[in-house]
Amino acid sequence: MHHIGVPVSDLARSVRWYEDVLGIAPNGVTISATNPAIGAVVEVENASMRASFALAGDNVLLELIQYDSPQPRPFTGRNCDVGVMHLCFEVDDLDAAHRDLVERGVHVNAEPVVLQDGDGVEAGTLAGTKILYLRDPDGIQLELFQLPS
């Protein structure tokens, strides 16, 4: 995989948030385009956009994209809606990450969950894995994931 593109409403705010909260710093690669061919490729008429790339982990680039035209709609998707995806980041200590997120005022959906068989869960090989879902400033769902030790 080369990169994951995430449309955002305010590029500068999102770049700061992903760096400050998740430690994903921009790598200096940016692009802007107001071009009919680019609009045709992304199937957005009269597209005008700006983007910033950041390295997430060892080899996946995160592309944060702000469309200035046309005016984007706010994100309203639920995790169960077709086409809605989430980004998952592996952490070493989910409990510490959770405390840090709460202290920063980040929206977390619920307390962390440990995947275990029972109560409607068949965890299989993921048994013992801790998960936490949160939202970025645009309400986009993200997940933190801690593998069992």
Side-chain angles (χ1 to χ4, degrees):
M1 177 176 294
H2 184 267
H3 73 271
I4 299 166
V6 179
V8 298
S9 65
D10 182 326
L11 184 61
R13 177 188 69 183
S14 291
V15 166
R16 277 191 316 275
W17 189 90
Y18 278 82
E19 182 172 14
D20 292 347
V21 174
L22 299 179
I24 301 171
N27 68 356
V29 176
T30 60
I31 183 173
S32 64
T34 302
N35 176 291
I38 298 293
V41 166
V42 297
E43 291 189 326
V44 175
E45 190 173 340
N46 299 318
S48 177
M49 51 79 73
R50 296 172 284 131
S52 177
F53 287 84
L55 187 61
D58 294 330
N59 62 354
V60 176
L61 287 170
L62 178 64
E63 178 189 20
L64 299 173
I65 311 160
Q66 179 180 338
Y67 281 86
D68 297 313
S69 175
Q71 184 64 42
R73 293 184 198 110
F75 178 77
T76 59
R78 303 169 300 164
N79 275 319
C80 62
D81 292 337
V82 174
V84 170
M85 295 183 268
H86 67 270
L87 304 177
C88 179
F89 302 95
E90 187 175 341
V91 297
D92 294 328
D93 186 342
L94 189 81
D95 295 322
H98 176 242
R99 284 189 302 274
D100 182 58
L101 292 169
V102 170
E103 287 173 7
R104 292 170 176 265
V106 172
H107 175 96
V108 295
N109 296 6
E111 296 292 315
V113 171
V114 178
L115 300 176
Q116 297 293 347
D117 289 334
D119 292 328
V121 176
E122 294 180 24
T125 59
L126 292 178
T129 300
K130 290 182 182 181
I131 62 171
L132 173 75
Y133 276 72
L134 61 137
R135 293 180 182 260
D136 81 354
D138 285 304
I140 297 168
Q141 296 277 349
L142 306 172
E143 179 183 6
L144 298 185
F145 188 88
Q146 180 187 338
L147 292 169
S149 51

